[in-house]
Amino acid sequence: MNVEEKKAPIRITRFDGLFRGRQRLLSGLSGVLFAFLFIFPLFASGFWLNTLTSLLLLAAMAEGWNFIGGYTGYAAFGNVAFFGIGAYGTALSMTKLHWPFFPGMIVGVAAAVAFAIVFGLPILRLKGHYFAIATVALATATGEVANSWTSFTGGSAGITLPFFHPMQLSGQYFYYLSLLLVVFGLFLTWYIMKRKLGYSWVAVREDEEAANMMGINTTWAKVTAFALSAVMAGFAGGIYAYWRTFVLAEEVFKIDYTLQMILATVFGGPGTIFGPFIGAFIYYILVTILVFFLPIGQLHATLLGTIIILVMVFTPKGIMDFISGKRKLTWRALLENVRIYRV
Amino acid sequence: MLKIENLNVGYGEVQVLWDINLEINKSEVIALVGSNGAGKSTLLYTISGLLQPMSGSIKLDGREISGLPADEILHLGIGQVPQGRRLFAGMTVKENIMMGAYLRKDTERVKEDFEFVLSLFPQMGERLNQVAGSLSGGEQQMCAVARGLMANPKLLLIDELSLGLAPIIVENIYEAVSQVIQRDMTVLIVEQDVLLALEQADRAYVLDVGHITISGDAKELMDNPTIKEAYLGV
């Protein structure tokens, strides 16, 4: 027998794609999830269809947040601004200009992207807490403008959009549209992570100055991450506006949306392709169980908060770490985690 | 190829470098030595465009480069191996090395250069898929040098290569660097370890609290009484 030691040849490709963990397992898991999501409207409607649509919109926004927060490592706390601008842009184009939905939504997304670029250029120079605070302030200020500029946005009266026809298909229509957006987000993430742009984001996250030394235009890298997260949230806002047929500043600029995006991403695993998508599921399942199935009344928020803290303490890199087998769910491993992250 | 004239650099109002004049010819190895806080790294950062000078000029092959952004300067041919390695800890060794070639479009040459740096550092070939953060200090420094070489710069700036490493490893890495020098690369070595730097270099500059005080042939400087007293401890 020929027992020759076979050495795997070194593949010399420049950008293999920054994929971590067990990709085959994860794509299999997501495949099952998508098969379920695809046929879901056949046996569910009303409440559950609406809940799933909200979940998918959250997943899409989380995928967007993952670009700036997960891959580029900038703690953006104002991504709801893109959602709100997307919703308002769509609503205003459809009511004031009487445009159809799709061109209207494109206007909303374009406005969100323009906003991300114009304000991203100055605030992405800030780091750490300063950047986080600036994004919160930006989102709050934008919401205030939408709320007060009565002649343009309708102010606190909101904007009522035309209904979708035919009405009885409305639920399915927006559900599948949201599902399409989620798939688009996954594809976009995968595509970027196989390219220079993805590498530049991760390099900025790992060491921004070293990234600069490698010849990466870090400003460009950060602004594209910010703008692409605006694309995802902008589309989600547009779908939301037409789906709910009503847009109100207090609702679409709620900081809760930002927090949900971050939680979904962190639950699932920031800086991974499927993390935000799976994290959105985990988050929704958690909230649904707490709010609807546990007889604890108003205590559910307290319990949710407690669970979030525990998740942060014990799985700082998200569920993804367990799925990919990098971390074991044992007491010793958890305590080790606490030690490493100095919680 | 590189000519620095009357360069003044500072952070905010604090001036760190005063009237620096320095010249590097093609295929030379220049050592820039000096003690902690003398401004060595500041000078490197200014050359590579990460810091903007207050006044003075930096010319690469006759072209003024001071004030250009870092990516532009790298594109013109000045690469850097930064102090403290500064690897991308979450990326694999291979990804780190390839990041050095980020700006290059000549993919075929990149592949050749990749094979070349692996032949310089065979250990890297065994660890290509390992995350850079998990390497030992010496291996990290090899990875950082490999990454710097992948930009295929005309002039490579190497900052404090020996910092925190065992002498035998430092020797290994400098051995690899000297092979690179034979391939017609010009190198500026910044070192705190003066003797080590003078051994590697053709010429040297001594930086003392922001001023260049001594310069000349590296071998002659080893016999210079001032240097012997101040830096070599003999």
Side-chain angles (χ1 to χ4, degrees):
Chain A
M1 260 214 271
N2 189 6
V3 195
E4 204 175 303
E5 200 182 331
K6 267 190 195 157
K7 218 174 167 187
I10 298 163
R11 278 179 61 228
I12 307 180
T13 44
R14 294 188 60 185
F15 303 107
D16 296 333
L18 283 161
F19 310 130
R20 298 285 183 262
R22 293 182 190 167
Q23 288 301 312
R24 204 175 292 167
L25 180 78
L26 289 171
S27 47
L29 188 73
S30 304
V32 173
L33 221 49
F34 273 114
F36 161 75
L37 286 171
F38 192 72
I39 57 166
F40 181 75
L42 295 180
F43 52 83
S45 61
F47 171 78
W48 285 109
L49 199 60
N50 284 341
T51 307
L52 262 277
T53 308
S54 303
L55 187 161
L56 290 172
L57 287 179
L58 171 64
M61 289 193 278
E63 282 167 359
W65 189 84
N66 193 30
F67 295 153
I68 184 74
Y71 283 111
T72 316
Y74 270 69
F77 274 84
N79 274 26
V80 70
F82 308 139
F83 177 75
I85 291 171
Y88 265 98
T90 310
L92 288 169
S93 324
M94 289 178 75
T95 53
K96 297 221 164 175
L97 303 172
H98 303 287
W99 282 17
F101 172 54
F102 279 101
M105 183 162 65
I106 297 297
V107 170
V109 173
V113 170
F115 183 83
I117 294 171
V118 168
F119 288 98
L121 279 170
I123 66 171
L124 282 163
R125 291 169 166 272
L126 303 170
K127 291 202 166 65
H129 315 316
Y130 301 100
F131 175 76
I133 292 166
T135 52
V136 173
L138 189 62
T140 314
T142 315
E144 278 308 314
V145 170
N147 196 30
S148 326
W149 194 355
T150 313
S151 60
F152 187 55
T153 63
S156 54
I159 303 173
T160 307
L161 283 84
F163 282 98
F164 175 81
H165 287 289
M167 278 275 278
Q168 63 271 23
L169 284 179
S170 165
Q172 277 92 334
Y173 179 77
F174 290 106
Y175 174 84
Y176 280 115
L177 206 54
S178 309
L179 187 59
L180 190 66
L181 183 61
V182 170
V183 175
F184 168 73
L186 287 177
F187 178 75
L188 188 65
T189 317
W190 172 80
Y191 182 82
I192 292 170
M193 284 308 133
K194 269 186 85 70
R195 266 151 194 84
K196 266 186 163 185
L197 182 61
Y199 281 75
S200 73
W201 289 356
V202 175
V204 166
R205 179 186 72 197
E206 301 284 317
D207 189 331
E208 192 167 338
E209 200 172 63
N212 208 342
M213 289 178 197
M214 296 304 112
I216 293 168
N217 184 335
T218 49
T219 310
W220 165 252
K222 289 183 285 184
V223 170
T224 46
F226 207 44
L228 285 170
S229 71
V231 168
M232 293 306 295
F235 271 121
I239 294 173
Y240 175 91
Y242 194 30
W243 175 41
R244 292 294 168 91
T245 67
F246 184 64
V247 171
L248 186 67
E250 279 171 28
E251 178 56 34
V252 297
F253 283 99
K254 250 190 340 200
I255 194 166
D256 301 32
Y257 286 114
T258 304
L259 298 180
Q260 286 173 9
M261 285 177 225
I262 298 174
L263 284 175
T265 312
V266 174
F267 275 11
T272 60
I273 293 182
F274 296 104
F277 168 64
I278 291 172
F281 262 86
I282 298 168
Y283 175 78
Y284 255 80
I285 290 169
L286 202 63
V287 172
T288 311
I289 291 173
L290 288 178
V291 175
F292 295 107
F293 296 111
L294 285 186
I296 50 173
Q298 289 302 309
L299 267 179
H300 65 79
T302 317
L303 201 53
L304 180 63
T306 313
I307 292 173
I308 290 171
I309 292 170
L310 288 175
V311 169
M312 294 297 157
V313 169
F314 288 119
T315 72
K317 287 201 171 161
I319 294 298
M320 227 52 180
D321 264 12
F322 295 113
I323 298 175
S324 60
K326 272 193 223 142
R327 221 173 277 253
K328 301 253 172 339
L329 199 58
T330 62
W331 268 112
R332 187 190 278 182
L334 296 182
L335 291 173
E336 179 66 4
N337 238 339
V338 176
R339 194 185 63 76
I340 292 171
Y341 288 89
R342 295 166 203 278
V343 201
Chain B
M1 70 189 309
L2 189 83
K3 195 168 175 143
I4 300 178
E5 283 175 315
N6 304 323
L7 190 73
N8 290 289
V9 188
Y11 300 93
E13 303 218 321
V14 186
Q15 191 163 349
V16 177
L17 295 176
W18 311 78
D19 283 324
I20 301 295
N21 289 288
L22 187 146
E23 197 169 349
I24 302 174
N25 301 312
K26 198 169 175 336
S27 307
E28 250 186 336
V29 180
I30 300 291
L32 180 66
V33 297
S35 53
N36 251 336
K40 304 185 297 288
S41 294
T42 305
L43 182 55
L44 282 201
Y45 272 45
T46 316
I47 295 173
S48 56
L50 295 164
L51 274 177
Q52 305 301 328
M54 292 163 151
S55 65
S57 101
I58 305 173
K59 287 202 175 86
L60 178 69
D61 294 328
R63 187 183 159 173
E64 184 64 46
I65 57 163
S66 65
L68 291 179
D71 47 317
E72 191 99 351
I73 289 176
L74 181 65
H75 191 70
L76 290 173
I78 300 184
Q80 187 170 6
V81 178
Q83 185 180 344
R85 279 90 76 166
R86 306 292 289 267
L87 294 176
F88 305 113
M91 290 190 188
T92 63
V93 169
K94 186 184 158 197
E95 283 161 356
N96 266 284
I97 294 177
M98 280 301 181
M99 283 310 287
Y102 185 84
L103 285 180
R104 293 176 64 182
K105 298 199 165 63
D106 49 343
T107 306
E108 287 311 308
R109 284 290 313 279
V110 169
K111 288 179 181 176
E112 284 170 27
D113 286 353
F114 184 66
E115 276 172 24
F116 170 68
V117 298
L118 288 190
S119 72
L120 282 181
F121 302 110
Q123 277 159 281
M124 291 297 102
E126 293 158 19
R127 306 207 182 276
L128 284 180
N129 294 318
Q130 204 170 314
V131 178
S134 69
L135 297 178
S136 73
E139 288 167 336
Q140 285 192 15
Q141 188 65 71
M142 288 177 200
C143 186
V145 173
R147 185 181 66 174
L149 289 173
M150 283 305 287
N152 193 24
K154 294 185 220 165
L155 171 63
L156 185 64
L157 316 174
I158 304 179
D159 197 356
E160 298 284 9
L161 189 143
S162 68
L163 206 69
L165 298 181
I168 176 87
I169 293 169
V170 176
E171 208 169 291
N172 273 340
I173 301 177
Y174 268 120
E175 175 63 38
V177 170
S178 69
Q179 285 188 49
V180 175
I181 292 164
Q182 281 159 20
R183 280 177 46 129
D184 232 21
M185 200 179 274
T186 310
V187 181
L188 175 63
I189 301 170
V190 165
E191 267 292 348
Q192 217 170 297
D193 187 338
V194 176
L195 185 60
L196 183 69
L198 293 180
E199 277 171 358
Q200 306 295 327
D202 301 318
R203 286 193 300 123
Y205 291 84
V206 179
L207 197 57
D208 189 21
V209 218
H211 301 267
I212 287 184
T213 49
I214 308 169
S215 64
D217 185 89
K219 305 294 168 287
E220 281 168 24
L221 287 185
M222 272 196 243
D223 298 322
N224 182 310
T226 323
I227 290 190
K228 269 189 169 170
E229 194 185 337
Y231 299 106
L232 301 180
V234 263

